[in-house]
Amino acid sequence: MNITKEKILSDLKKVAMIMFTKEFVDTSKEDQYKIFATVIKGYLSENWLEKNENYRIGKEKQVYYFSLEFLLGKMTCTNIINLGLEELCMEVMDELGLDFKGFDKYDAEPGLGNGGLGRLAACFLDSMASIGIPGHGCGIRYDYGLFEQKIVNGEQIEGPDNWLKNGFVWETKKSHQSKRIKFYGDITLKELGGCLTPVHTGYETILAVPYDVPIVGYKNKVVNNLRLWKAQIEGNDFDFNSFSYGTFSELDEKKRNAEAISKLLYPDDTTESGRLLRLKQEYFFVSAGLQSIVDYNSKKGITPNEFPNTFSIQINDTHPALCVAEFMRILIDEKKVYWDEAWEITKEVMSYTNHTILTEAMEKWEIDKVQQLIPRVYMIIEEINRRFCDEVYQKYDDWDRVMEVAIIKDRLINMAHLAIVGSHSINGVSKLHTEVLTKKVLKNFYELYPERFNNKTNGITHRRWLLKSNKALTTLIDEMIGSSWKDDPNLLEKLTEFSEDKNFCEKIEGIKLENKKKLAELIWQETGIEVDINSIFDTHVKRLHGYKRQLLNILHIIYLYREILENKDFTMHPKTFIFSAKAAPGYYLAKRIIKLINSVGKLINNDDRINKFIKVIFIPNYSVSKAQIIIPGSDLSEQISTVGMEASGTSNMKFMMNGALTIGTLDGANVEIKEAVGGENIFIFGLNYKELKEIEKKQSYNPIKFLKENPKINKIVEMLRDGTFGGDFSSIYSHLVDEDRYFVLKDFNSYLETHKKIDGIYRDRDRWNSMVVKNIAKSGHFSSDNTIRKYAEEIWKI
């Protein structure tokens, strides 16, 4: 398609007339955004239609990425960039006297994810489209995202994230491709055609309605698909008679129960009803997605034995682990495939990505819930478990060993075990994470199936996290090494030769300063606090969890507070400590840490003796769009998780790509970042994994003893319960003193000394800037394009 400025102007005029019966210039700013986005959607839809048709008539293998989260971020500007229309659109905006950036506030930010898991899924979809792999996403179209976070009196307050309130231009409803999902009921075996056949009766049907979202490849005419499923009741959803009499009927109750499935990302699973709803969600999108894939391939004339050559399914964490049993159900009950063949097909099609070594984070479902909600699927899980346990017993003749790997144990179904047994590939997401899985957490499975285990270190898409988020840096890189790196981010390596180029480094520093001004403006808008852009912007943004150790960070800030007050000779380069994070609504400790950060910040920010050295900022309601301002404007990236607990991390990669240096433990992908940039260009502190495991083995760490031996640290911990911060933080105090399972105190001294080292290096601008350039140069290594190529070659065989 030949798109020109004149064509865009003409199409804006036509679409404005169709949508609003007005001239484009006479519509509201919000309507102008909708018109503009609709025009752009029209351009990409031609490629979308063509690519879908090519997939439909061809036999090219396709990939389906099943994930409960897809944290996409705002899509309009990214789609314009990937279509190669950015300059044209800027010209059109200039001619119409419009602010291109002003449209951003009307661009819906899909509330389809929480943190790294969902953002990774979004980066992977972007990479699949951009390197030309036919890969699609499958998830849920939540009416409301995780929650909208507000900070009131320092406390996190959750409200509805109504991201769909003004519509979502980028989705297309496909009602004719809806699927029926069966819940509850009874299974009886009846003789049909000489075979005992399971018959499902008395079930409740929920309709899964698909909404498709285009995933646009970078300047390559590829448009793949993210299919999101919405739940509703089948047939008439309105009882006219009851409503007209002012009453509610059984139909109204059914409608509410059905729609609840796709109402909210992560309902509270601390309650029985919340857990049941979560299980419903997981089966709902798994069943809808698999039915859709099987129907699509069957219509192409592909038989079940050909499925492994036609499509692959990637299970992203344990949420979609029911894929294994549901696919077996479809093959056996609907496609009439015998068990043994169906099992081989399933294993060849399925692959599983593990994202955690925390056993409590690996889902387990009560037998009673699964048996009640999806009785036929439970029967299949039970049979998979029986056959698997028999296989293991035949190999080891050891029932204890069987129980260590059983899918069903103590009346619980271990979903990670189901995913492992039913997949041909199990991958970790960083070298250390995979090593921990194979040597400890999943050691028994590794001994059973060593050929199935592999590592695929996570990655990020430079198209959003550099091209979109940091245009000035993008332009400078183009000037220095050309623009080919946009297609091959590994070419960023060429920047290494400029790491000692003072002129180039000064330009990098100037871009960072401008980005810090933008971040300072965001901080002012969100908090009303003015910050010094010449201070070190020290940033800790990610999901709030004990193992991510925001607590270690704030304890260090409290330490600095005391030092400034008590030590007249104390000096430091001014620092602005920036936090942003959401805590799960039911996670009490995490919510108290948010309160502590805000309470410490209030005390420090209002004390003129202290705030010339440090300020503490908490930016509420962390999101992709805020990250796109925060990350380019940061000097220092806090990646300080307890070693061995962060599977990979991807914010560490985003920060290095935007010229922030990392302070972190040798955890997750930090290990590989250190290997890439060299130990002299990253700030590593704390225990390594072997040291921590040795301490756990010997039980040699005693927090109380540690505090007695470290009186300065003991004083700051005591401040948690002496009222200094205007609140009672005794629960955090007890967490540290009674268990300190995340080794916050153990790593404190090392963390403190490393921060002192950073302070000195930052003052040496030439050295700091050289380190920044080396980090940017090596960041292309962590492109999700590289990661996806490895998935494609080694797992999907595509």
Side-chain angles (χ1 to χ4, degrees):
M1 188 192 309
N2 183 25
I3 301 173
T4 63
K5 183 179 76 171
E6 289 69 30
K7 177 171 176 53
I8 296 174
L9 288 166
S10 173
D11 289 343
L12 289 173
K13 185 180 179 73
K14 289 176 188 174
V15 172
M17 196 59 64
I18 292 168
M19 292 179 69
F20 300 105
T21 329
K22 288 181 178 181
E23 291 290 337
F24 178 81
V25 293
D26 294 330
T27 57
S28 68
K29 295 296 183 188
E30 182 178 347
D31 290 342
Q32 286 176 352
Y33 159 73
K34 290 178 180 177
I35 295 163
F36 205 99
T38 301
V39 168
I40 300 301
K41 185 181 180 184
Y43 298 154
L44 68 83
S45 291
E46 291 197 20
N47 291 336
W48 198 11
L49 178 63
E50 182 181 348
K51 186 54 68 174
N52 281 336
E53 185 62 15
N54 289 343
Y55 291 154
R56 188 186 67 79
I57 63 176
K59 294 214 171 181
E60 187 177 10
K61 190 174 185 180
Q62 299 183 54
V63 177
Y64 297 91
Y65 197 85
F66 278 66
S67 179
L68 205 55
E69 294 186 39
F70 289 94
L71 195 56
L72 299 170
K74 296 184 176 185
M75 297 188 70
T76 302
C77 191
T78 303
N79 285 342
I80 288 170
I81 290 171
N82 285 4
L83 286 170
L85 297 176
E86 189 174 17
E87 288 186 14
L88 268 180
C89 288
M90 294 288 282
E91 289 178 24
V92 169
M93 289 286 189
D94 288 343
E95 182 155 326
L96 294 172
L98 299 173
D99 177 14
F100 193 66
K101 292 180 181 177
F103 273 7
D104 195 57
K105 66 180 178 181
Y106 302 115
D107 194 8
E109 186 155 4
L112 304 172
N114 173 25
L117 184 77
R119 188 51 233 169
L120 178 78
C123 285
F124 277 8
L125 292 186
D126 178 279
S127 285
M128 281 191 267
S130 293
I131 64 176
I133 288 175
H136 317 285
C138 180
I140 296 178
R141 181 186 182 268
Y142 304 102
D143 292 341
Y144 297 90
L146 183 69
F147 57 84
E148 182 179 359
Q149 180 194 56
K150 293 184 178 178
I151 302 298
V152 179
N153 295 325
E155 306 266 7
Q156 171 179 291
I157 304 296
E158 300 98 25
D161 173 21
N162 190 8
W163 70 278
L164 281 168
K165 62 184 176 184
N166 296 318
F168 185 45
V169 171
W170 300 106
E171 67 181 7
T172 301
K173 186 177 181 180
K174 298 285 184 72
S175 297
H176 64 289
Q177 295 181 15
S178 298
K179 301 298 173 190
R180 293 177 177 86
I181 315 300
K182 296 177 182 178
F183 291 113
Y184 303 109
D186 299 300
I187 304 295
T188 54
L189 294 175
K190 293 187 178 179
E191 188 171 330
L192 297 173
C195 295
L196 281 177
T197 302
V199 177
H200 196 175
T201 58
Y203 53 80
E204 193 177 283
T205 302
I206 302 294
L207 202 63
V209 181
Y211 288 73
D212 288 352
V213 178
I215 305 298
V216 183
Y218 182 65
K219 297 183 180 181
N220 64 356
K221 297 186 179 180
V222 173
V223 182
N224 286 336
N225 207 48
L226 168 59
R227 174 155 285 188
L228 302 170
W229 298 94
K230 177 178 173 60
Q232 64 183 55
I233 63 170
E234 189 173 13
N236 185 12
D237 66 352
F238 179 63
D239 189 331
F240 177 83
N241 290 324
S242 294
F243 188 82
S244 64
Y245 284 108
T247 61
F248 291 98
S249 67
E250 185 179 338
L251 182 63
D252 297 312
E253 183 66 21
K254 279 186 177 180
K255 185 170 183 280
R256 281 195 296 270
N257 288 339
E259 291 175 351
I261 294 172
S262 56
K263 185 67 69 177
L264 179 69
L265 169 65
Y266 291 148
D268 183 2
D269 62 356
T270 61
T271 65
E272 284 298 303
S273 59
R275 279 185 62 74
L276 186 62
L277 181 55
R278 177 79 69 87
L279 180 58
K280 275 186 174 182
Q281 287 183 329
E282 293 182 2
Y283 181 68
F284 169 79
F285 94 97
V286 159
S287 180
L290 291 176
Q291 287 185 56
S292 178
I293 294 164
V294 171
D295 287 353
Y296 172 81
N297 282 278
S298 296
K299 285 175 183 175
K300 291 171 69 173
I302 295 165
T303 57
N305 66 307
E306 296 177 290
F307 285 171
N309 299 320
T310 309
F311 60 88
S312 288
I313 290 168
Q314 191 70 36
I315 298 170
N316 190 33
D317 211 7
T318 51
H319 306 125
L322 285 168
C323 276
V324 172
E326 174 64 3
F327 194 56
M328 285 290 287
R329 183 195 70 77
I330 292 171
L331 290 174
I332 293 167
D333 294 357
E334 297 180 14
K335 295 298 175 182
K336 308 305 177 186
V337 180
Y338 288 115
W339 182 282
D340 288 345
E341 185 183 358
W343 185 239
E344 290 306 312
I345 292 169
T346 298
K347 285 190 295 182
E348 287 184 63
V349 165
M350 299 292 164
S351 46
Y352 162 56
T353 300
N354 175 283
H355 284 277
T356 183
I357 64 161
L358 302 175
T359 52
E360 66 267 27
M362 294 185 188
E363 283 187 310
K364 296 180 180 68
W365 288 108
E366 301 88 339
I367 283 177
D368 296 344
K369 279 191 177 66
V370 178
Q371 195 170 24
Q372 176 194 20
L373 187 68
I374 39 177
R376 176 57 179 151
V377 172
Y378 173 72
M379 289 174 67
I380 289 171
I381 293 172
E382 200 174 44
E383 182 64 9
I384 293 171
N385 180 63
R386 186 189 70 77
R387 291 177 181 234
F388 171 64
C389 288
D390 185 56
E391 174 193 331
V392 177
Y393 186 75
Q394 293 299 323
K395 183 169 185 174
Y396 295 113
D397 193 25
D398 182 346
W399 193 248
D400 288 337
R401 190 149 188 173
V402 172
M403 284 295 96
E404 287 174 352
V405 293
I407 297 167
I408 301 174
K409 181 183 176 184
D410 300 329
R411 298 197 62 76
L412 292 172
I413 301 170
N414 189 312
M415 303 307 286
H417 291 190
L418 177 63
I420 291 165
V421 172
S423 297
H424 72 277
S425 168
I426 301 99
N427 72 278
V429 291
S430 72
K431 286 181 182 177
L432 177 61
H433 173 232
T434 302
E435 184 181 334
V436 173
L437 290 180
T438 56
K439 292 185 177 178
K440 185 181 177 186
V441 180
L442 301 177
K443 179 183 177 184
N444 292 323
F445 283 104
Y446 180 68
E447 290 174 352
L448 272 172
Y449 310 123
E451 73 286 353
R452 297 188 190 183
F453 283 81
N454 58 93
N455 177 62
K456 299 289 176 285
T457 298
N458 285 341
I460 61 169
T461 170
H462 61 288
R463 286 167 289 275
R464 179 173 289 275
W465 295 108
L466 189 47
L467 274 67
K468 168 71 173 74
S469 303
N470 204 335
K471 293 187 186 300
L473 181 56
T474 299
T475 301
L476 179 61
I477 294 170
D478 284 349
E479 290 171 1
M480 300 305 292
I481 64 171
S483 60
S484 297
W485 65 272
K486 293 175 180 175
D487 295 305
D488 181 4
N490 295 302
L491 294 176
L492 286 170
E493 183 93 32
K494 291 181 179 179
L495 291 174
T496 306
E497 63 186 270
F498 302 104
S499 62
E500 306 300 329
D501 184 323
K502 194 163 185 178
N503 181 50
F504 178 69
C505 288
E506 285 176 357
K507 288 180 180 178
I508 289 283
E509 185 173 16
I511 289 169
K512 178 64 70 176
L513 189 63
E514 290 303 310
N515 287 331
K516 289 173 77 171
K517 288 177 183 176
K518 293 174 186 175
L519 176 49
E521 184 180 343
L522 174 68
I523 290 169
W524 171 256
Q525 290 169 353
E526 294 287 334
T527 69
I529 299 171
E530 190 173 345
V531 296
D532 176 10
I533 60 169
N534 293 307
S535 64
I536 300 173
F537 279 16
D538 180 329
T539 304
H540 199 163
V541 290
K542 53 183 76 251
R543 183 165 54 93
L544 204 308
H545 195 286
Y547 83 81
K548 294 180 184 287
R549 297 205 294 192
Q550 286 93 344
L551 182 55
L552 174 58
N553 192 339
I554 195 64
L555 287 177
H556 171 238
I557 294 168
I558 296 170
Y559 175 90
L560 294 176
Y561 167 76
R562 285 189 67 98
E563 282 294 294
I564 294 166
L565 286 180
E566 296 177 0
N567 184 351
K568 292 180 181 179
D569 298 323
F570 180 82
T571 185
M572 64 176 286
H573 192 285
K575 267 189 181 177
T576 301
F577 292 94
I578 300 164
F579 295 86
S580 195
K582 290 182 179 180
Y587 191 176
Y588 180 75
L589 174 66
K591 293 178 84 167
R592 292 310 295 164
I593 292 171
I594 287 178
K595 172 67 173 175
L596 177 63
I597 292 168
N598 282 288
S599 297
V600 171
K602 183 178 179 181
L603 182 68
I604 287 173
N605 297 340
N606 292 304
D607 190 330
D608 291 339
R609 297 170 299 172
I610 310 296
N611 62 29
K612 60 187 175 183
F613 292 106
I614 55 177
K615 281 192 176 177
V616 182
I617 306 297
F618 191 98
I619 300 173
N621 207 38
Y622 187 50
S623 63
V624 173
S625 55
K626 287 180 180 175
Q628 289 171 189
I629 299 171
I630 295 169
I631 291 172
S634 298
D635 296 302
L636 190 66
S637 162
E638 297 272 352
Q639 307 293 334
I640 61 176
S641 54
T642 306
V643 69
M645 291 191 178
E646 183 72 84
S648 171
T650 52
S651 66
N652 45 9
M653 303 168 188
K654 295 162 195 164
F655 276 102
M656 75 180 293
M657 185 171 278
N658 283 276
L661 302 185
T662 300
I663 176 171
T665 52
L666 279 175
D667 194 27
N670 286 354
V671 176
E672 289 154 86
I673 291 175
K674 181 189 175 188
E675 289 174 3
V677 302
E680 69 280 8
N681 295 306
I682 187 172
F683 304 108
I684 298 297
F685 74 94
L687 297 167
N688 63 38
Y689 183 70
K690 288 182 180 178
E691 289 169 340
L692 185 142
K693 290 297 121 183
E694 191 64 24
I695 288 170
E696 287 183 332
K697 183 180 179 181
K698 294 180 178 178
Q699 297 183 329
S700 59
Y701 172 49
N702 183 327
I704 294 175
K705 182 182 176 185
F706 176 86
L707 289 171
K708 286 180 179 177
E709 294 170 353
N710 293 269
K712 274 194 170 184
I713 302 175
N714 186 53
K715 284 181 181 178
I716 67 172
V717 172
E718 285 294 334
M719 290 171 73
L720 295 173
R721 59 176 185 169
D722 69 5
T724 300
F725 306 116
D728 179 14
F729 298 102
S730 54
S731 58
I732 299 177
Y733 175 89
S734 298
H735 167 77
L736 286 171
V737 173
D738 295 342
E739 52 174 340
D740 192 19
R741 64 175 294 206
Y742 302 117
F743 296 87
V744 171
L745 300 177
K746 184 68 176 174
D747 275 347
F748 187 88
N749 284 323
S750 178
Y751 184 61
L752 175 63
E753 291 306 312
T754 304
H755 264 284
K756 289 178 181 176
K757 176 183 173 184
I758 290 167
D759 201 56
I761 293 175
Y762 188 81
R763 295 170 193 265
D764 182 349
R765 302 308 300 149
D766 289 342
R767 182 179 176 188
W768 183 274
N769 290 333
S770 176
M771 293 170 70
V772 164
V773 173
K774 289 170 184 172
N775 272 263
I776 297 170
K778 296 294 184 179
S779 66
H781 175 72
F782 298 99
S783 164
S784 50
D785 291 7
N786 295 332
T787 311
I788 286 298
R789 284 192 178 95
K790 290 176 182 175
Y791 272 91
E793 293 165 10
E794 299 170 19
I795 297 177
W796 306 327
K797 309 298 181 186
I798 185 172

